[in-house]
Amino acid sequence: MQWLPTFDTKLNVWTTAAIIVASIGLYNTVRGWWRHTLGKRAFFVKNLRKLAPHVRHEYAKDLFGEPAWQYKRSIEEYSVVPDTGDFGTVEREMTVRTWPLGRMAYLTTWCSEDDEVEMYSITTRSRIFRPAVMVGTDHVVRLGKSCLSSLPAPNPDVEGPVLWAVGAQRYSYAECHYFGRPGGYRTWVVGVSDVGYPALAPVRLGANPEVCHDPSEIERYRQQARINSVLIAGGSPLRLGSILPAGLGPDSSRVGLVEPEYGFRARLMRFRWKIRMAASRLREPKASGE
């Protein structure tokens, strides 16, 4: 047995350990680079699909990190008055938090006093971020691409009237969809937020539903406007109409205060905007002539 070769086991163990440690470090580096660059979109979409109404805020924070904005806001809730037994509403204060998902989207959550996510919304702000969202059990919309008409018109007696608001600087449009037990008693609010992309202002509908003189304009707008924001609420007795339509997306007066971008990307965006405005002005004489 003297002919058998000898092995230095100590050297092999340390070499193997060094290779394992180096491989783990390289994997973490590549994964971090992927999540912050090419794989950012897939990372956001994967985590968004893990969200649902009634999860803990800590669960959402583990998925997306610390929110950039947090404030309190009141919302009405359906309730029964103890003294009279009448059905009415009461004010309820909730914590609103907003995450900027890079340059791609905004995530907004509405939390109860126990930091339970009662509802959340996702608003796309980029043409490359178009996640598919399941609405009910039979409908799928793609943010930034699907038109409002891809969903059935809401029933005012069940889901409430369509809501919109057009002001000097802000505008928004929202419609609710409720499918009862097949939809898990959740409510989906889809529409157009002025901080999303693309954002078609409902100017032809009027300033609000009270001054809408031509209801046919609503259907025309639904066929043209693309959904850029969706809000998903659980089965809690919240009166969503008390925060809609502006509550569909993030508060533009807050997220708009972030310092604008500079450099090549900002110059490219301004150049594209100038081209778009020039093209629209060139089409105006032709449209007026027709």
Side-chain angles (χ1 to χ4, degrees):
M1 302 297 291
Q2 298 297 325
W3 58 271
L4 293 175
T6 58
F7 297 94
D8 188 354
T9 57
K10 182 182 294 185
L11 178 62
N12 290 338
V13 169
W14 285 108
T15 302
T16 304
I19 293 175
I20 293 175
V21 172
S23 300
I24 294 175
L26 179 62
Y27 169 75
N28 291 333
T29 301
V30 173
R31 184 180 64 173
W33 173 84
W34 175 258
R35 287 183 175 181
H36 289 84
T37 55
L38 301 178
K40 184 183 293 186
R41 176 189 176 278
F43 176 71
F44 288 152
V45 172
K46 178 182 178 181
N47 285 347
L48 284 172
R49 291 174 179 171
K50 296 179 181 179
L51 277 182
H54 306 305
V55 300
R56 297 181 301 110
H57 164 66
E58 292 296 327
Y59 175 77
K61 190 171 70 172
D62 289 341
L63 294 175
F64 300 99
E66 291 287 346
W69 295 275
Q70 176 176 323
Y71 59 96
K72 299 288 186 178
R73 182 169 176 182
S74 296
I75 182 174
E76 293 182 3
E77 182 180 48
Y78 293 108
S79 178
V80 177
V81 180
D83 297 335
T84 61
D86 297 334
F87 192 69
T89 60
V90 294
E91 290 285 337
R92 180 180 177 185
E93 188 177 67
M94 303 190 73
T95 304
V96 185
R97 300 181 175 94
T98 301
W99 287 259
L101 305 184
R103 302 187 185 97
M104 297 184 183
Y106 289 112
L107 169 67
T108 303
T109 62
W110 296 68
C111 297
S112 63
E113 296 178 354
D114 299 328
D115 252 355
E116 178 181 313
V117 178
E118 297 284 349
M119 54 186 176
Y120 66 96
S121 69
I122 179 70
T123 301
T124 180
R125 53 187 297 217
S126 171
R127 66 172 64 231
I128 66 173
F129 189 75
R130 296 179 174 181
V133 180
M134 194 76 179
V135 179
T137 57
D138 300 326
H139 307 282
V140 177
V141 299
R142 190 170 291 276
L143 297 186
K145 185 176 181 180
S146 299
C147 292
L148 290 162
S149 58
S150 61
L151 295 173
N155 185 356
D157 297 331
V158 178
E159 298 151 327
V162 174
L163 300 173
W164 70 85
V166 180
Q169 297 179 345
R170 299 194 59 183
Y171 57 88
S172 52
Y173 174 96
E175 59 183 39
C176 299
H177 297 272
Y178 178 75
F179 303 95
R181 183 175 181 182
Y185 300 106
R186 288 170 292 178
T187 300
W188 286 264
V189 184
V190 301
V192 178
S193 173
D194 53 358
V195 301
Y197 176 88
L200 179 63
V203 290
R204 293 192 175 184
L205 302 184
N208 52 62
E210 297 179 359
V211 297
C212 181
H213 303 293
D214 187 3
S216 63
E217 288 289 344
I218 299 178
E219 186 58 33
R220 188 176 294 108
Y221 177 79
R222 296 185 77 248
Q223 295 175 359
Q224 297 175 352
R226 285 183 282 177
I227 301 170
N228 67 19
S229 187
V230 58
L231 182 146
I232 303 174
S236 53
L238 299 176
R239 196 180 80 84
L240 299 180
S242 60
I243 62 169
L244 295 176
L248 174 66
D251 186 357
S252 62
S253 61
R254 298 175 187 270
V255 300
L257 295 178
V258 176
E259 186 176 359
E261 297 179 358
Y262 296 93
F264 176 76
R265 180 182 176 88
R267 289 194 297 268
L268 181 60
M269 293 178 63
R270 287 194 294 267
F271 181 69
R272 289 172 52 189
W273 174 255
K274 290 180 180 179
I275 292 178
R276 193 175 303 170
M277 293 298 294
S280 63
R281 284 194 294 267
L282 289 175
R283 288 194 296 266
E284 286 179 0
K286 182 179 178 180
S288 61
E290 294 176 354

